[in-house]
Amino acid sequence: EAGVTQFPSHSVIEKGQTVTLRCDPISGHDNLYWYRRVMGKEIKFLLHFVKESKQDESGMPNNRFLAERTGGTYSTLKVQPAELEDSGVYFCASSQQGRNSPLHFGNGTRLTVT
Amino acid sequence: AQSVTQLGSHVSVSEGALVLLRCNYSSSVPPYLFWYVQYPNQGLQLLLKYTTGATLVKGINGFEAEFKKSETSFHLTKPSAHMSDAAEYFCAVTTNSGYSTLTFGKGTMLLVSP
């Protein structure tokens, strides 16, 4: 089966611009998660979708970040306007139904804001 | 709140030597503990996990970890390092009886020399 796919793999934008990251989960996985790793720091949880609904968005840093999962398939994470501190690697993960289903991570999108 | 501390941002070993990566956690309730590995330009891959039961857990690629409640530790070991083990390793904890909201450590880069 195809794994979790993230686009783009790298993105370099200027402060104030908008960037949209995309995640295609494994087919059939209802759970979709976004995590972020800022340089030198921990990987931190951003939010969790169950199908198209936001189950937990407690990790979203501020209202410049907007995540969507229309139709319960792929998800997008938009940053508008981007700030320097948004630079980092954004990981997406998906899992099957069930609270103890293991997470499958994508390769991440490396975002650089200059 | 829960937290994870990984001692040493970088660990260097020679090929064939013992690998020991340290992880200590903080949790007010029984934890679920994980080790993930990230190879260059790839996503996070689950190495092993502890949920309940046997405290010594075996994972892929010859790695194992032991849950020690009294020491709040979950150190990762491998008897003999291979060059292919060079990667970044992350310890993570969750306490909600599910895998969704993981709290990660800062990661330890394992360097293996010939």
Short mmCIF file of all heavy atoms in Angstrom, two decimals, chain A residues 1 8 14 17 20 24 29-32 38 40 45 61-62 66 72 75 88 93 100 105 108-109:
data_model
loop_
_atom_site.label_atom_id
_atom_site.label_comp_id
_atom_site.label_asym_id
_atom_site.label_seq_id
_atom_site.Cartn_x
_atom_site.Cartn_y
_atom_site.Cartn_z
N GLU A 1 0.86 -1.19 0.00
CA GLU A 1 0.00 0.00 0.00
C GLU A 1 0.89 1.24 0.00
O GLU A 1 2.01 1.22 0.52
CB GLU A 1 -0.92 0.01 1.22
CG GLU A 1 -0.20 0.16 2.54
CD GLU A 1 -1.14 0.17 3.74
OE1 GLU A 1 -2.35 -0.01 3.58
OE2 GLU A 1 -0.63 0.35 4.84
N PRO A 8 4.60 20.10 -0.63
CA PRO A 8 5.86 19.71 -1.28
C PRO A 8 6.82 19.14 -0.24
O PRO A 8 6.54 19.18 0.94
CB PRO A 8 6.36 21.05 -1.81
CG PRO A 8 5.87 22.04 -0.80
CD PRO A 8 4.52 21.52 -0.33
N GLU A 14 8.88 33.88 1.57
CA GLU A 14 9.25 35.08 2.32
C GLU A 14 8.22 35.35 3.41
O GLU A 14 7.04 34.99 3.28
CB GLU A 14 9.37 36.26 1.37
CG GLU A 14 10.51 36.15 0.39
CD GLU A 14 10.66 37.38 -0.49
OE1 GLU A 14 9.78 38.27 -0.41
OE2 GLU A 14 11.65 37.46 -1.23
N GLN A 17 4.19 35.88 3.20
CA GLN A 17 3.54 35.11 2.13
C GLN A 17 2.69 33.98 2.72
O GLN A 17 2.71 33.73 3.93
CB GLN A 17 4.60 34.54 1.17
CG GLN A 17 5.26 35.59 0.30
CD GLN A 17 6.20 34.99 -0.72
OE1 GLN A 17 6.90 34.01 -0.46
NE2 GLN A 17 6.23 35.59 -1.91
N THR A 20 0.71 26.58 1.48
CA THR A 20 -0.24 25.50 1.77
C THR A 20 0.47 24.17 1.64
O THR A 20 1.06 23.87 0.60
CB THR A 20 -1.43 25.55 0.79
OG1 THR A 20 -2.11 26.80 0.94
CG2 THR A 20 -2.41 24.42 1.09
N ASP A 24 -1.59 13.48 1.98
CA ASP A 24 -2.48 12.40 1.54
C ASP A 24 -2.24 11.20 2.45
O ASP A 24 -1.16 10.59 2.41
CB ASP A 24 -2.20 12.02 0.08
CG ASP A 24 -2.72 13.07 -0.89
OD1 ASP A 24 -2.13 14.16 -0.95
OD2 ASP A 24 -3.73 12.78 -1.55
N HIS A 29 -7.60 5.32 6.10
CA HIS A 29 -7.26 5.80 7.45
C HIS A 29 -8.14 6.99 7.80
O HIS A 29 -8.07 8.05 7.18
CB HIS A 29 -5.79 6.19 7.53
CG HIS A 29 -4.87 5.03 7.65
ND1 HIS A 29 -3.54 5.17 8.02
CD2 HIS A 29 -5.08 3.70 7.49
CE1 HIS A 29 -2.98 3.98 8.07
NE2 HIS A 29 -3.89 3.07 7.75
N ASP A 30 -8.94 6.82 8.83
CA ASP A 30 -9.83 7.89 9.25
C ASP A 30 -9.10 8.98 10.04
O ASP A 30 -9.49 10.14 10.04
CB ASP A 30 -10.96 7.33 10.13
CG ASP A 30 -11.97 6.53 9.33
OD1 ASP A 30 -12.03 6.69 8.10
OD2 ASP A 30 -12.71 5.73 9.94
N ASN A 31 -8.06 8.57 10.76
CA ASN A 31 -7.34 9.53 11.60
C ASN A 31 -6.20 10.17 10.83
O ASN A 31 -5.43 9.48 10.16
CB ASN A 31 -6.75 8.82 12.83
CG ASN A 31 -7.83 8.30 13.75
OD1 ASN A 31 -8.61 9.07 14.29
ND2 ASN A 31 -7.87 7.00 13.94
N LEU A 32 -6.10 11.48 10.94
CA LEU A 32 -5.02 12.22 10.30
C LEU A 32 -4.51 13.25 11.30
O LEU A 32 -5.28 13.96 11.94
CB LEU A 32 -5.50 12.89 9.01
CG LEU A 32 -4.43 13.56 8.15
CD1 LEU A 32 -4.82 13.48 6.67
CD2 LEU A 32 -4.18 14.98 8.55
N VAL A 38 10.22 22.36 14.99
CA VAL A 38 11.03 23.55 14.79
C VAL A 38 12.48 23.17 15.06
O VAL A 38 12.76 22.34 15.92
CB VAL A 38 10.55 24.67 15.73
CG1 VAL A 38 11.47 25.87 15.68
CG2 VAL A 38 9.13 25.07 15.38
N GLY A 40 15.88 22.18 16.16
CA GLY A 40 16.49 21.98 17.47
C GLY A 40 15.53 21.69 18.59
O GLY A 40 15.94 21.55 19.75
N PHE A 45 2.76 18.16 18.53
CA PHE A 45 1.43 17.91 17.99
C PHE A 45 0.76 19.21 17.62
O PHE A 45 0.83 20.20 18.36
CB PHE A 45 0.60 17.17 19.05
CG PHE A 45 -0.86 17.07 18.77
CD1 PHE A 45 -1.34 16.11 17.89
CD2 PHE A 45 -1.76 17.93 19.38
CE1 PHE A 45 -2.70 16.01 17.64
CE2 PHE A 45 -3.11 17.84 19.13
CZ PHE A 45 -3.58 16.87 18.27
N PRO A 61 -0.64 26.70 16.82
CA PRO A 61 0.03 27.80 17.51
C PRO A 61 -0.76 29.10 17.54
O PRO A 61 -0.70 29.83 18.53
CB PRO A 61 1.35 27.95 16.75
CG PRO A 61 1.16 27.27 15.46
CD PRO A 61 0.11 26.25 15.63
N ASN A 62 -1.46 29.42 16.47
CA ASN A 62 -2.23 30.67 16.43
C ASN A 62 -3.16 30.65 15.21
O ASN A 62 -3.20 29.67 14.46
CB ASN A 62 -1.27 31.87 16.35
CG ASN A 62 -0.27 31.72 15.23
OD1 ASN A 62 -0.64 31.62 14.06
ND2 ASN A 62 1.01 31.67 15.58
N LEU A 66 -4.36 27.30 9.40
CA LEU A 66 -5.68 26.77 9.12
C LEU A 66 -5.55 25.39 8.50
O LEU A 66 -4.90 25.24 7.46
CB LEU A 66 -6.44 27.69 8.17
CG LEU A 66 -7.81 27.18 7.71
CD1 LEU A 66 -8.76 27.03 8.91
CD2 LEU A 66 -8.42 28.09 6.65
N GLY A 72 -12.89 14.20 4.12
CA GLY A 72 -12.25 13.17 4.92
C GLY A 72 -11.14 12.42 4.23
O GLY A 72 -10.74 11.33 4.67
N SER A 75 -5.60 16.27 3.45
CA SER A 75 -5.67 17.43 4.33
C SER A 75 -4.70 18.50 3.84
O SER A 75 -3.68 18.19 3.22
CB SER A 75 -5.31 17.05 5.76
OG SER A 75 -5.25 18.19 6.60
N GLY A 88 10.35 25.14 9.86
CA GLY A 88 10.50 23.85 10.51
C GLY A 88 10.05 22.75 9.57
O GLY A 88 9.81 22.97 8.39
N ALA A 93 0.65 12.42 9.75
CA ALA A 93 0.57 11.00 10.08
C ALA A 93 -0.88 10.56 9.97
O ALA A 93 -1.81 11.37 10.12
CB ALA A 93 1.09 10.73 11.50
N ASN A 100 -5.81 2.81 19.54
CA ASN A 100 -4.46 2.28 19.66
C ASN A 100 -3.87 1.85 18.32
O ASN A 100 -2.92 1.06 18.28
CB ASN A 100 -4.45 1.10 20.63
CG ASN A 100 -4.71 1.55 22.05
OD1 ASN A 100 -4.35 2.65 22.42
ND2 ASN A 100 -5.35 0.71 22.83
N PHE A 105 3.81 7.84 9.55
CA PHE A 105 4.23 9.20 9.25
C PHE A 105 4.65 9.37 7.80
O PHE A 105 5.23 8.45 7.19
CB PHE A 105 5.41 9.59 10.15
CG PHE A 105 5.01 9.96 11.54
CD1 PHE A 105 4.82 8.98 12.50
CD2 PHE A 105 4.84 11.29 11.89
CE1 PHE A 105 4.46 9.33 13.81
CE2 PHE A 105 4.48 11.64 13.18
CZ PHE A 105 4.29 10.66 14.14
N GLY A 108 7.46 14.38 5.62
CA GLY A 108 7.53 15.75 6.11
C GLY A 108 7.71 16.77 5.00
O GLY A 108 8.18 16.45 3.90
N THR A 109 7.31 18.00 5.31
CA THR A 109 7.57 19.14 4.44
C THR A 109 8.47 20.09 5.21
O THR A 109 8.13 20.52 6.32
CB THR A 109 6.27 19.89 4.07
OG1 THR A 109 5.46 19.05 3.25
CG2 THR A 109 6.58 21.19 3.34
#
